[in-house]
């Protein structure tokens, strides 16, 4: 089963201020959206999930950062984590076979928080609690058959 790093998500108090900070550092905004609905509740495991999001890409294109500001439910303020504290909000991976990835996760006692969601027949995705309670999103792109080990579409030469 192939796997590729997708992005890291960070909940923020003020999306515009966070975008300004990261774009000043050199990231570029790839897209923005507002998400909500049943698919979002299922994927994230949070009822009434409604957030503004922005996806930013690193200058070399090797990584992406997803920033989100919760509109509902209200964001919960916490103390910033210390370097030696276990956990983070979420790390996301694109996989070529979500069912195979979930079977591997299950062998480690990790299961979807609520199930697998289908986002507009573009992605099949879910959140699960990984090791040490880390939230992990697994997503399969339903629009193409992609060999993630080579980073390209195997149907094109």
């Amino acid at each position: 089963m192939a796997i590729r790093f997708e992005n890291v998500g960070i909940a923020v108090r003020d999306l515009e201020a966070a975008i300004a900070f990261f774009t000043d550092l050199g990231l570029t905004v790839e897209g923005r959206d507002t998400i909500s609905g049943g698919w979002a509740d299922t994927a994230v495991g949070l009822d009434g999930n409604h957030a503004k999001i922005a996806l930013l890409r690193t200058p070399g294109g090797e990584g992406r950062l997803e920033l989100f500001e919760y509109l509902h439910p209200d964001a919960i303020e916490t103390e910033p984590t210390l370097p030696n504290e276990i956990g983070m909000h979420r790390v996301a991976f694109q996989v070529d076979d979500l069912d195979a990835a979930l079977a591997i996760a299950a062998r480690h006692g990790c299961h979807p928080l609520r199930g697998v969601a289908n986002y507009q027949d573009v992605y099949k995705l879910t959140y699960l609690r990984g090791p040490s309670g880390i939230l992990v999103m697994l997503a399969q792109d339903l629009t193409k058959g992609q060999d993630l080990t080579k980073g390209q579409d195997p149907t094109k030469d």
Side-chain angles (χ1 to χ4, degrees):
M1 189 219 55
I3 188 168
R4 180 182 80 201
F5 182 74
E6 179 62 22
N7 69 56
V8 172
I10 302 173
V12 298
R13 270 185 219 100
D14 181 336
L15 185 62
E16 297 307 317
I19 290 169
F21 173 79
F22 286 108
T23 56
D24 282 350
L25 288 176
L27 279 73
T28 57
V29 176
E30 261 191 359
R32 293 168 166 254
D33 203 353
T34 300
I35 59 131
S36 65
W39 75 268
D41 292 356
T42 299
V44 177
L46 185 64
D47 289 329
N49 185 31
H50 187 197
K52 296 186 295 186
I53 65 171
L55 192 61
L56 290 78
R57 181 171 289 283
T58 57
E62 69 280 355
R64 295 192 303 179
L65 183 64
E66 182 181 316
L67 304 173
F68 42 96
E69 179 183 334
Y70 274 94
L71 304 173
H72 185 268
D74 290 338
I76 299 170
E77 291 287 337
T78 61
E79 293 296 319
T81 58
L82 299 173
N84 63 332
E85 289 179 332
I86 296 171
M88 61 181 355
H89 178 73
R90 138 176 100 61
V91 61
F93 296 97
Q94 182 174 333
V95 297
D96 61 357
D97 184 339
L98 183 59
D99 294 329
L102 288 174
I104 292 168
R107 289 198 295 268
H108 292 271
C110 304
H111 305 280
L113 296 179
R114 182 167 295 168
V116 175
N118 181 314
Y119 174 64
Q120 300 179 357
D121 292 327
V122 175
Y123 283 101
K124 186 166 67 167
L125 65 151
T126 191
Y127 276 39
L128 56 88
R129 287 271 179 205
S132 301
I134 296 170
L135 281 173
V136 176
M137 183 186 87
L138 298 173
Q140 179 181 342
D141 186 340
L142 300 174
T143 65
K144 59 187 169 200
Q146 186 176 20
D147 182 349
L148 297 177
T149 61
K150 294 184 176 135
Q152 59 188 3
D153 187 337
T155 63
K156 296 181 180 176
D157 292 331

